[in-house]
Amino acid sequence: MFLKYPATILSFFIISALQASYLPFSRSPMGSLNLVFITFILLVFFKGINNDNYGFFLVITAGFFTDIFSNFYFGSAILAFLALFFSIKYFFYFLKEARVNYSIAYFSIVFSASFILYGIFLKVISTGPALSYGFLANFLYNLSVACLGFYIFLFFGKIIKQNRQLKLV
């Protein structure tokens, strides 16, 4: 329980350092990956919805490491992630009664809406050009990597939750 917070900080630091140091030089034709955003959405989707303290911790950590390596105003990513956290929490408020908690369809909807809101928010902050076709290609590239991360997270979550105790008859 206690190791969850330092592990989160370390993982966001490694991911943001990888994103800032290696990924700009290995651009694909589809655009660039936003690994911090993908990790934030995955962790909020699986862990942060039911725990507000951990959700706010994810917002501050992901926003801080995004702000350090971005050229936007400091605090803009924290505000964007906070808005995304509340919108995801609002979305899950209406899906409480659904049978399947961790469906790829729900994740795709959450990721798509979050990515578009995040892109719009950062475009407004930076007063850059409007969303373009490059944004669509970048969105599809990030969505495919996020869906892969979704299945990896589900796989490791099932392995960790397995009951390995011996049953004495």
Side-chain angles (χ1 to χ4, degrees), residues 49-50 88-101 106:
I49 290 299
N50 298 327
I88 292 170
K89 197 160 180 66
Y90 183 73
F91 177 75
F92 271 94
Y93 175 75
F94 291 110
L95 292 178
K96 273 197 294 191
E97 316 234 341
R99 285 189 205 159
V100 181
N101 290 336
Y106 292 153

Side-chain angles (χ1 to χ4, degrees), residues 12-160:
F12 273 114
F13 174 72
I14 291 171
I15 288 169
S16 63
L18 175 73
Q19 183 173 329
S21 63
Y22 177 70
L23 290 180
F25 301 110
S26 64
R27 284 185 65 109
S28 80
M30 295 292 286
S32 61
L33 277 177
N34 194 346
L35 292 177
V36 175
F37 180 79
I38 292 171
T39 307
F40 171 75
I41 296 296
L42 281 169
L43 287 175
V44 166
F45 189 80
F46 284 107
K47 300 289 182 189
I49 290 299
N50 298 327
N51 188 353
D52 285 339
N53 292 334
Y54 188 62
F56 287 124
F57 179 76
L58 286 174
V59 165
I60 292 170
T61 306
F64 177 74
F65 284 115
T66 301
D67 280 335
I68 286 176
F69 295 110
S70 71
N71 57 355
F72 300 117
Y73 296 115
F74 192 80
S76 61
I78 294 174
L79 289 175
F81 284 133
L82 186 64
L84 290 177
F85 176 71
F86 282 126
S87 64
I88 292 170
K89 197 160 180 66
Y90 183 73
F91 177 75
F92 271 94
Y93 175 75
F94 291 110
L95 292 178
K96 273 197 294 191
E97 316 234 341
R99 285 189 205 159
V100 181
N101 290 336
Y102 301 120
S103 169
I104 189 68
Y106 292 153
F107 178 75
S108 298
I109 291 169
V110 165
F111 185 82
S112 302
S114 300
F115 193 82
I116 291 169
L117 288 174
Y118 183 71
I120 290 171
F121 183 79
L122 291 183
K123 291 295 180 182
V124 167
I125 292 291
S126 68
T127 63
L131 303 178
S132 62
Y133 294 113
F135 181 79
L136 179 64
N138 194 12
F139 162 70
L140 293 174
Y141 185 44
N142 281 294
L143 180 64
S144 62
V145 172
C147 288
L148 179 68
F150 174 83
Y151 284 117
I152 290 171
F153 207 96
L154 275 182
F155 176 73
F156 284 117
K158 287 180 183 176
I159 289 176
I160 290 171

